[in-house]
Amino acid sequence: MAIEGEDDQRAKPFLPPGDDEEGKSSRGLMARVWEEEKELWVVAGPAIFTRFSTFGVSIISQAFMGHIGSTELAAYALVFTVVVRFANGILLGMASALETLCGQSFGAGQNHMLGIYLQRSWLVLLPFTAALLPLFLFTTPVLRLLGQDESVALMAGKISVWSIPAVFSYSLSFTLQMYLQAQSKNRVITYYAALSLSLHVLLSWFLTAMLGMGVAGVMGSTIIALWIPVVGQLVFVVCGGCPETWNGLSCEAFKDLWGVVKLSFSSGIMLCLEIWYNTILVLLTGHMDDAEISMTLNINGWEMMIALGFLAAIGVRVANELGAGNADKAKFSILICVATSSAIGFTLFLIFLFLRGRISYIFSTSSLVAGAVANLSPLLAFSILLNSVQPVLSGVAIGAGWQSTVAYVNIACYYLVGIPLGVVLAYVIGLGVKGVWLGMILGIAVQTLVLTYITCRTDWDHQVFAARSRLKRWLVSKPDNEDPPNEA
């Protein structure tokens, strides 16, 4: 089998035919960098665009809600910034376990396992999504207990119920994306992302401006926009788009579920702690309705989509190379991805540091808002700079399967360092919003240093062994093979 055959060509999918170790070592550095950049952007480009599209759907919905009324806008911002983002974070994290398994299996040439892992992930994520329903069904009473304005609480409860189909779309969307990315089938992801974003603008305008459906029109369009990629990708997979990795529904999906559950929950905790961390800024300051806070958070959110694209790309690259037994290529991929993402982050850092308040005139004509944004711009710039490195290191952890370790790191750095420091700086020293944000930046900085140390100190040859041991333990025989699977 591919996992045991060190000489099996399927275990080296990224090496051109006839490329031996001597040839590989003799290649120039620039040629290696160019080759790796191409491999990286095959995943990063579509991943960034897709995340821009998903985030764009939310921003477009928010814009249309603003035209309906201030109460609707405040309620929508509250639901999607807190409740939906929490669900989105933990589901994206749990789905990243599939990125580990599919990426390593594809690198090892176990193509038939990708479809089985996809089905196992569905069996884990869909029931968990159902378990999140109380968050959406009881939003109004929870907000009342927290002292939220009655009209906003009632509207938020209505929007939360509308959000339930959207949240279920995340379970299928994230898993399908990671299944397709692991085998570099990214065009279909990009096409449907572009289609959903375009239709959302048109449909939202038609339902609200032409038919006057209000909140129901915006939320109905949002649901359709989020389900278009899911249906399209699902049809692509089951109707012959992935003949080597999809062999139909299989009873094998019900085997070894506990291992997938553990890896999924570790992944979910890891990424949820990261994504929800930024929401703490809003909750601690209570400035949800302030234009400058909303504006800077949206800018930071857009930039974060670039970072999450690189997170997906390096996760796939590391997983593929570890599955293929290429420890050196995994290390080289990490180096190139960090360098590329850092270059983009540093460019944006300079832009936001020097333009400062002038950025705000894209969204507002108020000089007061511009002044407030200028005051927050240095913190935004440093956040963007750190976001260009930290998610890449988290992606390395996903590709290697270290989710549980990084979850502990995140708890320590974010919730024992960042948030306490933010509270002290904001409320004891009196820095307010800037204090909370500065504390969060320090927490991310500590986490980045810890993950850098872990990555640099890792024995990547041992990671190859760990990846192959995991794959061998969960391997099942091919559908046309009557021999029993090879047990570890």
Side-chain angles (χ1 to χ4, degrees):
M1 294 183 180
I3 197 166
E4 293 178 327
E6 297 292 339
D7 297 326
D8 195 324
Q9 288 300 316
R10 293 178 302 168
K12 301 180 178 64
F14 295 99
L15 295 180
D19 189 3
D20 57 17
E21 291 300 317
E22 182 179 353
K24 183 172 67 175
S25 63
S26 66
R27 287 183 301 176
L29 178 61
M30 291 306 297
R32 290 185 64 200
V33 170
W34 176 245
E35 180 183 337
E36 182 55 42
E37 286 284 3
K38 289 191 294 182
E39 296 282 5
L40 181 69
W41 281 101
V42 163
V43 180
I48 291 171
F49 182 83
T50 302
R51 281 156 179 77
F52 267 125
S53 174
T54 304
F55 191 69
V57 167
S58 175
I59 296 299
I60 290 168
S61 298
Q62 186 171 344
F64 277 97
M65 285 291 185
H67 287 287
I68 295 172
S70 58
T71 299
E72 288 80 0
L73 177 61
Y76 180 89
L78 191 61
V79 170
F80 271 75
T81 304
V82 180
V83 184
V84 174
R85 181 173 291 184
F86 174 82
N88 181 294
I90 197 164
L91 291 174
L92 177 61
M94 291 180 69
S96 73
L98 188 65
E99 190 169 4
T100 305
L101 297 172
C102 284
Q104 292 182 359
S105 293
F106 189 74
Q110 299 177 0
N111 294 344
H112 69 288
M113 287 299 300
L114 271 68
I116 294 174
Y117 284 136
L118 176 62
Q119 294 169 58
R120 287 176 181 173
S121 191
W122 288 342
L123 290 173
V124 174
L125 260 69
L126 289 174
F128 185 82
T129 305
L132 293 174
L133 289 183
L135 291 174
F136 297 87
L137 296 175
F138 300 105
T139 298
T140 295
V142 170
L143 291 178
R144 283 173 178 157
L145 289 174
L146 295 175
Q148 184 59 252
D149 179 77
E150 179 67 15
S151 61
V152 173
L154 287 172
M155 182 56 63
K158 179 180 179 181
I159 292 174
S160 285
V161 173
W162 272 103
S163 303
I164 291 174
V167 173
F168 272 97
S169 77
Y170 294 146
S171 299
L172 296 174
S173 177
F174 293 150
T175 50
L176 285 166
Q177 285 177 29
M178 291 174 185
Y179 164 80
L180 292 168
Q181 285 173 354
Q183 46 193 313
S184 296
K185 292 183 180 292
N186 301 291
R187 289 185 181 180
V188 63
I189 300 174
T190 306
Y191 294 154
Y192 281 112
L195 177 63
S196 67
L197 189 62
S198 302
L199 287 179
H200 183 45
V201 175
L202 296 174
L203 190 58
S204 294
W205 170 79
F206 179 74
L207 294 177
T208 57
M210 300 298 292
L211 299 184
M213 294 178 62
V215 172
V218 175
M219 294 307 300
S221 179
T222 301
I223 292 168
I224 292 171
L226 292 175
W227 273 95
I228 284 174
V230 174
V231 174
Q233 291 166 26
L234 193 60
V235 170
F236 174 80
V237 171
V238 302
C239 293
C242 303
E244 294 183 354
T245 60
W246 179 263
N247 296 298
L249 298 177
S250 172
C251 294
E252 299 291 347
F254 291 91
K255 297 181 180 179
D256 298 315
L257 272 181
W258 180 239
V260 177
V261 168
K262 290 192 294 183
L263 185 59
S264 296
F265 272 98
S266 297
S267 304
I269 293 171
M270 170 191 150
L271 273 189
C272 181
L273 291 174
E274 292 188 16
I275 293 175
W276 213 59
Y277 185 52
N278 293 322
T279 306
I280 303 296
L281 173 65
V282 176
L283 296 179
L284 287 179
T285 59
H287 291 284
M288 176 69 73
D289 299 326
D290 287 8
E292 64 272 14
I293 296 295
S294 176
M295 198 176 299
T296 51
L297 283 177
N298 278 338
I299 293 171
N300 193 49
W302 282 111
E303 190 279 331
M304 195 64 185
M305 298 305 104
I306 300 176
L308 290 176
F310 280 107
L311 182 152
I314 192 59
V316 170
R317 293 293 299 122
V318 169
N320 283 167
E321 297 300 350
L322 291 181
N326 299 324
D328 289 338
K329 291 197 72 173
K331 290 187 288 185
F332 191 69
S333 296
I334 296 168
L335 180 63
I336 296 302
C337 190
V338 170
T340 303
S341 182
S342 297
I344 295 173
F346 186 70
T347 301
L348 294 174
F349 166 79
L350 294 177
I351 290 173
F352 287 105
L353 190 63
F354 290 109
L355 290 182
R356 297 172 73 86
R358 281 170 284 185
I359 294 290
S360 69
Y361 288 111
I362 299 174
F363 309 97
S364 172
T365 58
S366 170
S367 58
L368 292 176
V369 171
V373 171
N375 194 36
L376 293 173
S377 287
L379 296 176
L380 175 62
F382 278 101
S383 293
I384 288 172
L385 185 62
L386 285 172
N387 285 345
S388 67
V389 178
Q390 178 270 328
V392 174
L393 299 176
S394 294
V396 172
I398 291 172
W402 304 338
Q403 286 92 330
S404 59
T405 299
V406 178
Y408 289 119
V409 172
N410 289 351
I411 290 173
C413 296
Y414 291 163
Y415 298 91
L416 300 182
V417 176
I419 292 176
L421 278 176
V423 170
V424 170
L425 292 171
Y427 299 107
V428 177
I429 298 179
L431 295 179
V433 174
K434 294 177 70 174
V436 174
W437 203 329
L438 183 59
M440 294 176 68
I441 287 175
L442 293 174
I444 295 172
V446 172
Q447 188 224 23
T448 302
L449 291 174
V450 173
L451 292 183
T452 300
Y453 175 81
I454 292 173
T455 303
C456 291
R457 297 285 295 176
T458 294
D459 181 346
W460 288 97
D461 290 319
H462 177 72
Q463 293 304 313
V464 168
F465 173 78
R468 294 202 162 195
S469 296
R470 180 187 296 114
L471 296 177
K472 187 184 295 185
R473 185 170 65 250
W474 290 347
L475 179 65
V476 298
S477 58
K478 294 182 180 180
D480 57 351
N481 188 351
E482 297 180 356
D483 295 332
N486 186 19
E487 301 292 342

